[in-house]
Amino acid sequence: TMKFLLVFDFDYTVIDENSDTWIVKCAPEEKLPNKLRNSYQKGHWTEYMSRVFRYLGDSGVKEDEMKRTMTTIPFTTGMRDLLDFIGKNKDLFDCIIISDSNTVFIDWILKAANFHEVLDEVFTNPATFSGAGYLTVQNFHTHHCAKCPKNLCKRKVLEEFVDKKLHQGVKYTKIVYVGDGGNDLCPVTFLKKDDIAMPRQGYTLQKMISQMSEDLDPVQSSVLVWSSGIEILSHLKLLMKE
């Protein structure tokens, strides 16, 4: 059977914000102390977020308040329509999220909008609330990719997922990868010529893909730039007709 795999990043793709910075709205005066804000080291986002969650916990921010705040995040234009459409055509589309956010945030947001059913799997940093009510987050996995942040190589996740499905007898006709950020480039380089990379207009991923073409080292897949979920939706309709 013909089946397409849709892969979505989450922050600035499905939602029009960064969930990890949005949570700061819960902090006293909606800001973090400078010392904490400046403690981020490149490639070590999860450790940084652990400190942020500890600060929120120390400031008395409770789970229900965090949840209320997170479920007010706006979806990117047209994304709700796109997810609705995918949900109605699950016979054709498998759909996964690979994100550097965390399981708690993504669950809250998808469930509140009633989209958790649309997704076959969500790959992101595992998070839980401790007995004391503090949100704790772990690295998703370990990997050996020099290009990616230490907690998550999206290419490795995508490779392993496609491989697992192959063992279950599912071979995808096409993979469509929708993302925006620098950490989406690595999985895009995994795509083959029949696949489609969909970088968001004006964001880092699009700039990096353009740069590669200029350096005469273009990605193998076709590239379609998007700025709303509606454009992605019309493209999926075209794929269904092929």
Side-chain angles (χ1 to χ4, degrees), residues 63-129:
E63 179 174 344
D64 56 347
E65 188 187 338
M66 289 173 94
K67 184 175 183 175
R68 256 200 320 279
T69 301
M70 293 314 287
T71 50
T72 62
I73 292 190
F75 276 74
T76 300
T77 311
M79 272 296 158
R80 287 174 182 269
D81 301 308
L82 175 60
L83 289 167
D84 273 334
F85 175 80
I86 295 165
K88 294 189 178 87
N89 293 281
K90 287 298 291 168
D91 52 326
L92 275 179
F93 300 113
D94 278 355
C95 185
I96 64 174
I97 282 175
I98 310 177
S99 162
D100 209 352
S101 179
N102 67 69
T103 50
V104 169
F105 286 179
I106 294 183
D107 269 356
W108 280 345
I109 294 164
L110 292 178
K111 284 195 173 121
N114 234 337
F115 286 132
H116 53 291
E117 307 275 294
V118 174
L119 290 144
D120 296 278
E121 291 199 50
V122 173
F123 300 96
T124 185
N125 304 300
T128 46
F129 280 91

Side-chain angles (χ1 to χ4, degrees), residues 2 4 6 92-93 174 176 196 234-242:
M2 207 177 63
F4 302 110
L6 307 176
L92 275 179
F93 300 113
K174 262 187 204 321
V176 179
I196 305 168
S234 17
H235 200 76
L236 294 186
K237 287 181 173 165
L238 285 178
L239 289 183
M240 287 165 74
K241 289 199 183 89
E242 274 177 17

Side-chain angles (χ1 to χ4, degrees), residues 12-179:
Y12 289 119
T13 295
V14 174
I15 55 170
D16 211 4
E17 283 290 341
N18 178 335
S19 52
D20 281 338
T21 49
W22 188 266
I23 196 65
V24 174
K25 290 178 181 296
C26 290
E29 297 173 30
E30 299 195 10
K31 54 180 197 275
L32 300 174
N34 288 340
K35 189 175 172 222
L36 173 55
R37 237 196 10 252
N38 299 331
S39 71
Y40 167 64
Q41 288 173 306
K42 193 170 163 29
H44 297 263
W45 185 256
T46 336
E47 288 93 321
Y48 167 70
M49 285 312 296
S50 295
R51 294 191 291 275
V52 171
F53 296 146
R54 194 158 55 236
Y55 173 73
L56 292 176
D58 288 343
S59 308
V61 180
K62 301 277 184 284
E63 179 174 344
D64 56 347
E65 188 187 338
M66 289 173 94
K67 184 175 183 175
R68 256 200 320 279
T69 301
M70 293 314 287
T71 50
T72 62
I73 292 190
F75 276 74
T76 300
T77 311
M79 272 296 158
R80 287 174 182 269
D81 301 308
L82 175 60
L83 289 167
D84 273 334
F85 175 80
I86 295 165
K88 294 189 178 87
N89 293 281
K90 287 298 291 168
D91 52 326
L92 275 179
F93 300 113
D94 278 355
C95 185
I96 64 174
I97 282 175
I98 310 177
S99 162
D100 209 352
S101 179
N102 67 69
T103 50
V104 169
F105 286 179
I106 294 183
D107 269 356
W108 280 345
I109 294 164
L110 292 178
K111 284 195 173 121
N114 234 337
F115 286 132
H116 53 291
E117 307 275 294
V118 174
L119 290 144
D120 296 278
E121 291 199 50
V122 173
F123 300 96
T124 185
N125 304 300
T128 46
F129 280 91
S130 69
Y134 283 48
L135 185 57
T136 58
V137 62
Q138 271 87 45
N139 287 349
F140 177 75
H141 60 186
T142 48
H143 63 82
H144 303 292
C145 174
K147 298 188 186 78
C148 288
K150 112 183 200 343
N151 60 300
L152 177 67
C153 168
K154 294 187 177 191
R155 179 182 175 130
K156 183 180 178 185
V157 178
L158 182 55
E159 279 178 347
E160 287 174 356
F161 179 80
V162 168
D163 205 42
K164 182 183 83 176
K165 295 305 273 191
L166 205 51
H167 285 291
Q168 295 169 1
V170 180
K171 190 179 189 319
Y172 294 111
T173 316
K174 262 187 204 321
I175 300 173
V176 179
Y177 191 101
V178 183

